[in-house]
């Protein structure tokens, strides 16, 4: 009864094109933002349930936000533009390492001239890291003009293997640390130091909110429609006057920009210090699963998928504990494998569009409730 | 002569290593050729087959079976496991996904990969198990021509022989038998094949069974080389550039692609490696694959892809 749009008339074009055309959705969205921006810090300040201690914020909320951002990036490429990518871990690594280089100063001595950039503040470093990732993404997107589908997936895998190698073997990227692991600079945003978990959380939240809004609007606009046309049938799209070069490469650029920023955040904020292993192929698969399970071609689905993939191992750890039959670490990790694999197959069979579609089906049912039609 | 001898040694070892990649790539080609499904689970199937074989071998030998009997029974047991896997995959995953697009099918095989990896290790244990089916010592050839001779690993030669027999058998199967022809029809178009009365479920079961048996063969060779362990699943990733180079739909392509990829990466490691830093064999095959893709998107032996609206 609550979820009903009777009487909500749209009297302007602006109202017609709103992101959330239904009032209840708008209210829910603002409540969600209020919870994220106000309730969480307040609960943390007073150490109330469920934020007692730092576990929830540090081990769940921060990685959730960052991986959701990366999943949105991948969703733009795979879900909206239909270009399957298995190299998102590499683009995260490119973002992380270039942000690190910008934050600690770039020095390239060439024979004819020496390029030196002084250490930049953290925020420009992260954004420049995303930009570098976008450039690399465009480079590896070029083959997509000739090949598609599974062939392209292999091309993006090439990116994954190449960058894994590059960041391990070329010491310039790690500022010649002997162990190959690097430590992020202090998180100084215009004099505001993000040291406590709640502050880091807020920084991530601001990034994710802005980028999610940006992604939502991009996909609703001209360029987003071009992406979807390319995804649905590229030849037909081309005949309609969409330039595949522009559409595909822009999808690669936007997607890897977001993934790169997410990589920089993952390194700077979540990990603090990291080694190349943090961005190996498992990360790529994890992101792909988030997108598949959450829903291809849905921003909301990216969040749902990220939440699910992150929470599932924790649940599988906690539930047997609560039932009094704790599993060994090894059995647990194998169970996670099997369950994730089974869930992917099951979801592809019953609902190829993921959680996001289940959610909208649910809303559709609610609108008609209690009458089935 | 020393430099040439060294070149030849690297080249031959690369070719032989490439044959082993081809063994894994063959499994991919089979499933792709026969059902249009890009089977990401091939590496996991090699792991499953290897684990089933080595664990049953250990068990049988401990029970006091003679070695040849243990090997025969172990191979049989592993083959049965692969048959069961093929049945489960067909019945519970691919059957319900009939007529979905290629991407959905591909992603479902990623799901299958995870299930097989987790399930296999749950059933058979997650350690490293040594497997000794083939001799692993080295031969020295042409000792009188080159200084020190050319070092060739016997295991790699065995791998090459097995691959040759396998390819011959598969070519016959595809070209000469009724089932083989039905497989090719299914690869072309699921719905059309179904409408002329080809039983899709049975065909898919056969394909996955054959791919499982190829995985078992690959597992015997790779297991002897590396020991049966989780990292064997990464073979799938090694076989991908091989497929791209040779073409997804060509059995000979998988072999030639393997040879090119293997020789290319060993030569690159030996001659480019010292210049730009070691370890480039991990991605060199991918670079080769990218180059091939840009020139011939369907691979060297693949069928030309023609698209209509």
């Amino acid at each position: 009864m609550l979820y009903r749009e009777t009487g909500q008339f749209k009297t302007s074009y602006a109202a017609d094109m709103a992101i959330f055309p239904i009032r209840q959705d708008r209210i829910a969205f603002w409540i969600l933002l209020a919870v994220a921006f106000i309730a969480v810090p307040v609960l943390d300040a007073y150490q109330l349930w469920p934020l007692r201690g730092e576990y929830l914020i540090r081990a769940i909320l921060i990685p959730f936000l960052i991986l959701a951002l990366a999943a949105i990036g991948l969703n733009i490429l795979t879900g909206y533009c239909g270009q399957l990518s298995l190299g998102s871990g590499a683009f995260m690594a490119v973002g992380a390492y270039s942000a690190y280089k910008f934050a600690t100063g770039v020095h390239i001595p060439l024979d004819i001239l020496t390029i030196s950039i002084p250490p930049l503040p953290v925020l420009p470093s992260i954004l420049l890291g995303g930009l570098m990732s976008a450039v690399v993404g465009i480079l590896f997107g070029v083959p997509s003009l000739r090949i598609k589908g599974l062939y392209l997936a292999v091309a993006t895998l090439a990116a994954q293997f190449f960058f894994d190698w590059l960041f391990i073997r070329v010491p310039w990227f790690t500022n010649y640390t002997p162990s190959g692991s690097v430590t992020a600079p202090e998180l100084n945003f215009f004099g505001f130091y993000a040291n406590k978990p709640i502050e880091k959380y807020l920084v991530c939240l601001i990034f994710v909110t802005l980028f999610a809004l940006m992604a939502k609007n991009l996909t609703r606009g001209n360029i987003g429609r071009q992406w979807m046309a390319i995804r649905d049938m590229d030849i037909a799209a081309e005949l309609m006057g969409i330039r595949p070069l522009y559409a595909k490469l822009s999808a690669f650029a936007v997607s890897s920009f977001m993934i790169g920023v997410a990589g920089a955040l993952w390194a700077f904020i979540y990990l603090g210090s990291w080694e190349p292993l943090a961005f190996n192929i498992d990360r790529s698969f994890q992101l792909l699963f988030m997108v598949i399970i959450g829903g291809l071609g849905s921003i909301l689905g990216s969040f749902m998928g990220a939440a699910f993939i992150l929470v599932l191992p924790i649940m599988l750890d906690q539930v047997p504990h609560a039932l009094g039959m704790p599993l060994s670490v090894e059995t647990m990790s194998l169970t996670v494998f099997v369950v994730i694999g089974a869930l992917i197959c099951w979801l592809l069979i019953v609902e190829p569009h993921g959680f996001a579609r289940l959610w909208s089906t649910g809303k559709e049912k609610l609108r008609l409730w209690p009458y089935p039609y | 002569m020393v430099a040439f001898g060294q070149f030849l040694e690297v080249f031959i070892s690369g070719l032989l290593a490439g044959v082993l990649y081809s063994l894994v790539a063959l499994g991919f080609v089979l499933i792709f050729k026969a059902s249009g499904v890009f089977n990401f689970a091939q590496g996991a199937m090699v792991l499953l087959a290897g684990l089933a074989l080595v664990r049953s071998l250990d068990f049988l030998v401990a029970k006091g079976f003679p070695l040849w009997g243990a090997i025969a029974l172990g191979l049989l047991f592993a083959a049965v496991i692969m048959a069961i896997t093929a049945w489960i995959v067909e019945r519970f995953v691919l059957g319900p996904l009939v007529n979905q697009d290629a991407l959905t099918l591909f992603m479902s095989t990623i799901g299958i990969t995870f299930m097989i990896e987790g399930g296999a290790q749950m059933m058979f244990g997650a350690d490293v198990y040594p497997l000794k089916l083939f001799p692993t010592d080295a031969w020295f050839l042409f000792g009188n021509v080159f200084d020190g001779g050319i070092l060739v690993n016997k295991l790699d030669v065995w791998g090459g022989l097995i691959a040759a027999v396998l390819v011959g058998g598969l070519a016959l199967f595809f070209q000469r038998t009724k089932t083989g022809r039905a497989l090719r029809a299914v690869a072309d178009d699921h719905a059309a094949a179904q409408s002329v009365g080809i039983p899709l479920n049975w065909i898919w079961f056969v394909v996955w069974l054959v791919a499982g048996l190829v995985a078992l063969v690959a597992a015997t060779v790779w297991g002897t080389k590396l020991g049966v362990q989780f990292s064997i699943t990464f073979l799938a990733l090694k076989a991908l550039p091989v497929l791209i180079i040779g073409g997804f739909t060509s059995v000979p392509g998988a072999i030639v692609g393997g040879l090119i990829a293997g020789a290319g990466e060993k030569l690159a490691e030996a001659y480019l490696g010292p210049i730009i830093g070691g370890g480039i064999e991990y991605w060199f095959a991918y670079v080769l694959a990218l180059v091939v893709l840009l020139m011939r998107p369907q691979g060297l032996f693949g069928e030309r892809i023609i698209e209509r609206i």
Side-chain angles (χ1 to χ4, degrees):
Chain A
M1 293 297 258
L2 287 172
Y3 194 79
R4 187 149 301 172
E5 57 192 299
T6 321
Q8 298 181 28
F9 302 114
K10 293 160 193 153
T11 50
S12 66
Y13 285 119
D16 199 32
M17 292 192 295
I19 297 182
F20 299 107
I22 299 172
R23 191 190 295 135
Q24 286 88 338
D25 285 346
R26 270 197 303 277
I27 295 170
F29 174 71
W30 285 113
I31 290 176
L32 197 68
L33 275 193
V35 168
F37 273 101
I38 299 166
V40 170
V42 168
L43 284 176
D44 179 75
Y46 292 100
Q47 285 295 303
L48 297 171
W49 186 90
L51 292 177
R52 206 172 291 142
E54 291 172 347
Y55 175 77
L56 189 69
I57 288 187
R58 216 177 41 205
I60 298 183
L61 287 181
I62 290 178
F64 160 68
L65 287 173
I66 301 175
L67 290 180
L69 178 58
I72 292 175
L74 181 61
N75 216 335
I76 284 182
L77 186 63
T78 303
Y80 284 97
C81 197
Q83 312 292 312
L84 186 59
S85 166
L86 296 175
S88 27
F91 297 130
M92 276 181 90
V94 171
Y97 279 93
S98 1
Y100 172 73
K101 282 307 279 187
F102 282 117
T104 55
V106 182
H107 183 74
I108 311 174
L110 296 174
D111 287 341
I112 30 174
L113 81 166
T114 303
I115 303 171
S116 267
I117 304 175
L120 296 174
V122 170
L123 184 64
S125 298
I126 291 179
L127 294 178
L128 280 173
L131 218 56
M132 288 301 294
S133 176
V135 171
V136 172
I138 291 177
L139 279 182
F140 276 88
V142 168
S144 74
L145 302 174
R146 286 208 62 183
I147 56 180
K148 49 185 131 184
L150 306 166
Y151 288 84
L152 184 68
V154 177
T156 55
L157 260 184
Q160 180 72 48
F161 284 100
F162 177 71
F163 284 106
D164 275 0
W165 171 84
L166 193 68
F167 295 131
I168 293 176
R169 298 286 175 151
V170 181
W172 183 80
F173 287 103
T174 53
N175 285 350
Y176 304 95
T177 54
S179 65
S181 76
V182 293
T183 302
E186 220 174 354
L187 297 169
N188 176 0
F189 293 95
F190 309 115
F192 165 76
Y193 285 87
N195 292 324
K196 290 198 298 193
I198 189 73
E199 292 162 355
K200 295 178 173 178
Y201 161 82
L202 282 174
V203 170
C204 292
L205 186 62
I206 292 170
F207 266 103
V208 173
T209 312
L210 290 179
F211 276 114
L213 265 179
M214 191 182 97
K216 184 78 192 168
N217 277 324
L218 273 180
T219 53
R220 282 159 11 107
N222 176 18
I223 186 73
R225 280 161 206 273
Q226 293 188 19
W227 292 338
M228 286 187 263
I230 290 279
R231 168 193 69 189
D232 290 340
M233 195 166 210
D234 51 351
I235 298 176
E238 201 176 341
L239 288 180
M240 294 194 316
I242 292 170
R243 285 171 295 167
L245 175 87
Y246 176 65
K248 283 181 179 174
L249 292 191
S250 62
F252 266 96
V254 173
S255 152
S256 16
F257 177 71
M258 286 191 183
I259 295 177
V261 168
L265 290 176
W266 186 257
F268 279 26
I269 293 185
Y270 178 60
L271 297 172
S273 63
W274 73 95
E275 47 193 24
L277 224 63
F279 302 104
N280 67 1
I281 186 154
D282 291 338
R283 182 75 54 214
S284 301
F285 278 120
Q286 195 186 25
L287 288 177
L288 187 64
F289 289 159
M290 288 176 183
V291 172
I292 296 174
I293 291 185
L296 286 167
S298 157
I299 302 292
L300 175 70
S302 309
F303 284 98
M304 289 173 155
F308 183 77
I309 292 283
L310 261 180
V311 170
L312 181 70
I314 298 169
M315 293 291 284
L316 283 176
D317 187 36
Q318 298 287 323
V319 169
H321 247 296
L323 294 176
M325 38 178 193
L327 300 167
S328 71
V329 177
E330 190 186 293
T331 324
M332 214 274 294
S333 67
L334 293 179
T335 318
V336 172
F337 264 52
V338 176
V339 170
I340 288 187
L343 268 174
I344 289 172
C345 293
W346 180 74
L347 259 179
L348 285 174
I349 292 165
V350 298
E351 186 47 87
H353 299 282
F355 284 155
R357 177 58 66 87
L358 288 179
W359 174 251
S360 62
T361 315
K363 284 205 300 190
E364 208 57 37
K365 290 253 193 299
L366 265 182
R367 278 160 89 168
L368 303 170
W369 189 84
Y371 305 108
Y373 26 71
Chain B
M1 269 325 231
V2 174
F4 185 66
Q6 193 198 2
F7 168 82
L8 216 56
E9 181 175 312
V10 172
F11 185 66
I12 290 177
S13 82
L15 284 184
L16 289 171
V19 170
L20 301 190
Y21 295 145
S22 309
L23 271 182
V24 181
L26 264 182
F28 282 99
V29 170
L30 281 176
I31 292 190
F32 190 80
K33 200 173 156 75
S35 58
V37 178
F38 182 81
N39 174 26
F40 195 78
Q42 192 63 28
M45 282 164 71
V46 175
L47 173 74
L48 173 65
L51 278 176
L53 175 65
V54 76
R55 294 299 276 167
S56 61
L57 267 184
D58 288 351
F59 175 77
L60 291 168
V61 170
K63 282 272 174 200
F65 274 80
L67 190 60
W68 62 268
I71 289 178
L73 276 179
L75 284 172
L76 187 68
F77 174 73
V80 170
I81 292 277
M82 296 326 283
I84 294 173
T85 310
W87 182 77
I88 291 177
V89 164
E90 194 287 311
R91 175 75 183 73
F92 293 105
V93 183
L94 288 184
L97 285 174
V98 170
N99 289 332
Q100 295 279 3
D101 61 336
L103 212 60
T104 310
L105 293 171
F106 167 68
M107 291 191 291
S108 74
T109 65
I110 298 184
I112 295 171
T113 310
F114 271 56
M115 279 195 284
I116 293 181
E117 281 172 4
Q121 294 184 82
M122 260 193 225
M123 269 192 292
F124 298 114
D127 293 323
V128 182
Y129 302 101
L131 180 66
K132 291 263 167 285
L133 285 185
F134 302 107
T136 48
D137 45 336
W139 272 327
F140 288 94
L141 302 175
F142 302 112
N144 46 352
V145 184
F146 302 111
D147 199 23
I150 294 172
L151 187 89
V152 175
N153 198 325
K154 271 188 194 167
L155 174 69
D156 293 342
V157 178
W158 270 100
L161 285 179
I162 292 175
V165 172
L166 207 59
V167 171
L170 289 173
L172 280 181
F173 176 65
F174 268 99
Q175 302 297 335
R176 295 270 179 263
T177 65
K178 201 176 160 191
T179 317
R181 269 183 234 130
L183 292 180
R184 288 190 285 155
V186 171
D188 238 25
D189 190 336
H190 295 172
Q194 249 180 333
S195 64
V196 294
I198 293 173
L200 209 54
N201 300 4
W202 170 245
I203 293 296
W204 274 356
F205 169 72
V206 170
V207 170
W208 279 76
L209 175 62
V210 174
L213 296 180
V214 172
L216 175 58
V217 174
T220 59
V221 182
W222 277 105
T224 311
K225 197 177 175 102
L226 301 174
V228 179
Q229 55 175 321
F230 180 71
S231 66
I232 224 168
T233 54
F234 291 107
L235 282 177
L237 301 175
K238 272 285 196 188
L240 291 181
V242 172
L243 288 176
I244 295 281
I245 294 171
F248 270 114
T249 49
S250 161
V251 170
I255 299 292
V256 176
L259 293 178
I260 293 175
E265 69 177 26
K266 286 285 186 294
L267 287 175
E269 181 71 48
Y271 292 98
L272 277 179
I275 302 169
I276 60 169
I280 56 176
E281 44 173 327
Y282 292 111
W283 52 266
F284 190 78
Y286 278 93
V287 174
L288 276 182
L290 276 185
V291 172
V292 170
L293 270 183
L294 288 177
M295 292 187 308
R296 255 183 89 85
Q298 71 274 32
L300 296 180
F301 292 83
E303 290 159 27
R304 190 164 263 290
I305 309 156
I306 299 169
E307 279 187 84
R308 294 196 178 85
I309 296 194

